[in-house]
Every structure is written in C-alpha cells, then in structure tokens.
Amino acid sequence: MNGPALGVATAVLLCLSAQAPVPPGSGSGAGSMPEPAVGTTVRADPAGSVPEPGVRCSFTDDRLDEVSGLAARDGDVYAVNDGGTRVEVFVLDDGCAVRDVLRHPTDPYDVEDLALGPDGTLWLGDTGDNRRRRETVALHAVPRGTDRDAGAALYRLTYPDGPHDAEALVVDEDGVPHIITKDVLGPSAVYRPAGPLTAPGPTPLDKVGTVSHTPTDTPGGPVGGVGSTLITGAALARGGSVLAVRTYTDAYLYPVDDGDLPAALERQPVRIPLPDEPQGESLAFTDDGALLSVSEGVGSPLRVVPDAAALARTPSPDDATEPAPGPRTRPENTGSGGRADTASDGADGSGIATLPGVLVALGLAAVVMVGLGRLRRR
C-alpha cells in the first residue's frame, strides 16, 4: 500500500471504528475479553484460560519479507509471501531457517494465504484484489514431498456476485477449498466451489455463509481498532476438528462437527489475542494442535499458542446455563439462488445502527474505495 492510500484508508477506517459500538466491559489489556454484541458472541471462558502466545523463532531470512500465509505438517513450517511473480513456497525448519523452496513458473496475481489439503497438498490462495476488479481469482495446488515433481495445478474461480478482496483460505477434509473475504463494512462472506474444480477453469463459486467479529482492544495491525474486525487468514486443524479465523489482532477458534465449516462459523468461538503484530495475516495449526502466527516483515517472530485446538473443543463452564447465541453466519439458499439475508431490524450492536450512521458509513466506504484504488499490485 502506498503512502497516500494508506493515509486515506487509515483515517477513514479509524472513523468507522469510532462509529462502531464499544463492547461493554472491555478492558485496556490485550488479554481482556470484552463482551461482544448480540450475534457475535465469544465464549465466556474463565480468566486466564487462554494462554498468551510465546516465541518459537524468528523469520530472519531476507526472502521472508511479506509472509501472508502459513501451513505446518510433519514438523515443517511452510510460508508464502504476499504477491510475487511465480509460485514459491518456503519450507522452514524448527529454527525458522529456510531449508527448501518449492517453485513453479506460474505467475500469480496476489497470493494472500496458504492452506493444507487432507492429502498434504499445499494450496495457495491467489485471491487478493484490493481494487476489486479481477474477473477471476485463482488457487494453485502444489504437491509436497515425493510428489513435488508433479508441478502445480492452476484453478480459476468466479464469484457469483462480482469481485471481492479475500485473504483467507481453508481446505476442508473433503478437499473442498473455502474462501473468506476481507470486508471493511458488514460481514465477510464465505464461498466454495459450486462443483468439482476444473483446471484451469473457471469454476463458479457459491456463497455459503457470512462471518463477522466485534471490535476488540488488542493492540496491533496497520489501521487501528477496525483492524480487529478485518479477516486476514484462516487455518484448519489436522483432522478437521477446529477452524481458526484471524484478524490483524486476534484469532477465533471454532469447533467443527461433521466437516461442515459454514456451520462451524455459526458457533461461539474462543478468542485468542495476538497482540502487537504490525501486519498479522498468517495462521497455521501444527500436527499437535498448537497455533502458529507471524506478521509480515523480516525479523518477525513466529509465535505459538500450545494446545490451542483443545481450547475450542473444551466445553465452557457456562455452556449448560447460557442460551445459544444468535447465528454468526447465514448460509446461502443455493436452491433458489437468492442472496443470504444479512439485514436486521434496529441496533444489534454489530455496526452503525441509525439511518444517519448508515449514510455516513456509505460515504466513508466510497472514500475507502478511492483510496484502495490507488494501491499497488501486491
């Protein structure tokens, strides 16, 4: 992002953050758990039950300057940079040193995330679209291990409702990729292919749900408090039991039953603060359920939260007494082709509630689009 565009976007997003409701009971520390608005309920776990992330090692290799996606399997960590002129996956050892690079000459447009399929295939989410003008987005499937010589497969995809900027990709236990958009106003949308992927495609996508998060007071990110609501990455625990979605400042862990990721996003998540990551876009689970995160920038620490997946699968002490929360996602009615219903009556705490506020938000959104229109290709 260039200087003028960053300045415009930051100013506008801070204004939007000021318009958003402040959750009651929010504290000033990164580890405090504010009470979210109706429909964006976070699990009320006992104080101190969510551990702070520790440092495993640091990304000191100059080639790891804009890491936007992580994956982990069999003791190795895989990383991809934002953008790039060819498919390139870095393989890291326990000390964050690059021990191998998986390459393919395909020139991606804007790689924003990295996901692991159930067979160990690495999926690059070439879904960045700051200017929202791409006719298609793409996925690059890269074999690992002994299958690496097979090369990368390219799959182009089309949204049913026009271009979107997206930085989060996750592949379920059936090998189906799910893309989660990064939206400034309103909930982010969840898309998956309407049918089997074809190479190079394009394959149409279906909208299958939405997800949103209440602003938090966790410090970090490039755009102030509103960055705590912008989705920048996702990961699925090995075996598919827990889905993690991250913003610039926090990770949200959702228990998954029967492999249904959109349904999982309707449940109460456990929030794990990831404070002080200047440009946090990456997230991954290790084989034993630890959660990894890292920010862009050479020298950034690779941080780990041990046994994070178990936190999402452990019943909350309040589960037996608290009523079920309002739905966090609204699956698309794919039978009729209609849009998912995201409207609500009156103030629900999830955004600007009054008509004047809506008009202000729309005007500010227009300014955001102008600012984002000046972004360089990343």
Side-chain angles (χ1 to χ4, degrees):
M1 183 179 295
N2 60 30
L6 178 59
V8 171
T10 300
V12 173
L13 290 172
L14 287 174
C15 290
L16 287 174
S17 180
Q19 290 282 344
V22 178
S26 61
S28 59
S32 61
M33 183 77 71
E35 295 177 18
V38 173
T40 57
T41 305
V42 176
R43 246 182 50 179
D45 289 298
S49 65
V50 177
E52 294 183 0
V55 176
R56 174 170 168 178
C57 51
S58 294
F59 284 10
T60 57
D61 193 301
D62 288 344
R63 291 171 292 180
L64 301 174
D65 57 342
E66 289 190 79
V67 173
S68 63
L70 284 178
R73 183 61 55 90
D74 301 331
D76 289 326
V77 174
Y78 300 85
V80 292
N81 281 323
D82 193 340
T85 57
R86 61 180 173 179
V87 169
E88 198 167 49
V89 182
F90 296 91
V91 187
L92 313 178
D93 62 20
D94 287 341
C96 290
V98 176
R99 69 170 185 79
D100 198 3
V101 184
L102 308 178
R103 294 187 176 95
H104 191 270
T106 301
D107 181 7
Y109 184 86
D110 189 359
V111 173
E112 290 289 358
D113 205 1
L114 181 64
L116 265 170
D119 62 352
T121 298
L122 294 161
W123 291 80
L124 282 69
D126 185 1
T127 58
D129 191 9
N130 288 321
R131 300 178 184 178
R132 290 169 173 79
R133 66 182 186 182
R134 296 178 64 176
E135 294 183 1
T136 63
V137 293
L139 303 176
H140 306 270
V142 179
R144 35 186 298 276
T146 57
D147 297 327
R148 59 182 295 177
D149 293 334
L154 169 65
Y155 302 98
R156 299 194 183 279
L157 306 166
T158 56
Y159 292 106
D161 49 2
H164 295 275
D165 188 28
E167 296 189 5
L169 171 70
V170 65
V171 178
D172 69 17
E173 286 300 288
D174 292 325
V176 178
H178 291 65
I179 296 170
I180 306 175
T181 63
K182 179 184 181 182
D183 288 289
V184 176
L185 293 176
S188 292
V190 184
Y191 295 88
R192 68 186 176 204
L197 292 174
T198 58
T203 300
L205 293 165
D206 276 342
K207 182 178 178 182
V208 294
T210 61
V211 61
S212 60
H213 301 105
T214 301
T216 74
D217 58 0
T218 307
V223 289
V226 78
S228 66
T229 69
L230 300 179
I231 293 176
T232 62
L236 189 66
R238 188 165 191 175
S241 62
V242 177
L243 170 64
V245 175
R246 76 161 296 163
T247 66
Y248 282 119
T249 59
D250 301 89
Y252 295 84
L253 308 184
Y254 297 87
V256 180
D257 293 329
D258 301 321
D260 192 335
L261 302 189
L265 290 170
E266 297 179 3
R267 307 178 70 174
Q268 289 181 327
V270 172
R271 179 172 72 93
I272 297 181
L274 303 172
D276 303 319
E277 292 190 358
Q279 187 85 15
E281 300 184 6
S282 304
L283 201 65
F285 281 106
T286 62
D287 291 340
D288 61 0
L291 189 69
L292 304 177
S293 73
V294 72
S295 174
E296 289 189 3
V298 176
S300 294
L302 177 66
R303 302 199 295 179
V304 57
V305 178
D307 300 321
L311 295 174
R313 302 303 309 185
T314 302
S316 167
D318 299 322
D319 283 350
T321 58
E322 286 191 350
R328 292 187 51 91
T329 68
R330 297 176 176 86
E332 180 78 358
N333 183 353
T334 55
S336 63
R339 295 180 59 188
D341 178 16
T342 58
S344 61
D345 258 340
D348 65 358
S350 62
I352 302 172
T354 64
L355 178 58
V358 171
L359 294 177
V360 170
L362 290 175
L364 290 172
V367 177
V368 170
M369 293 304 104
V370 172
L372 293 180
R374 299 176 183 175
L375 293 175
R376 63 177 173 85
R377 170 181 167 180
R378 295 189 60 189

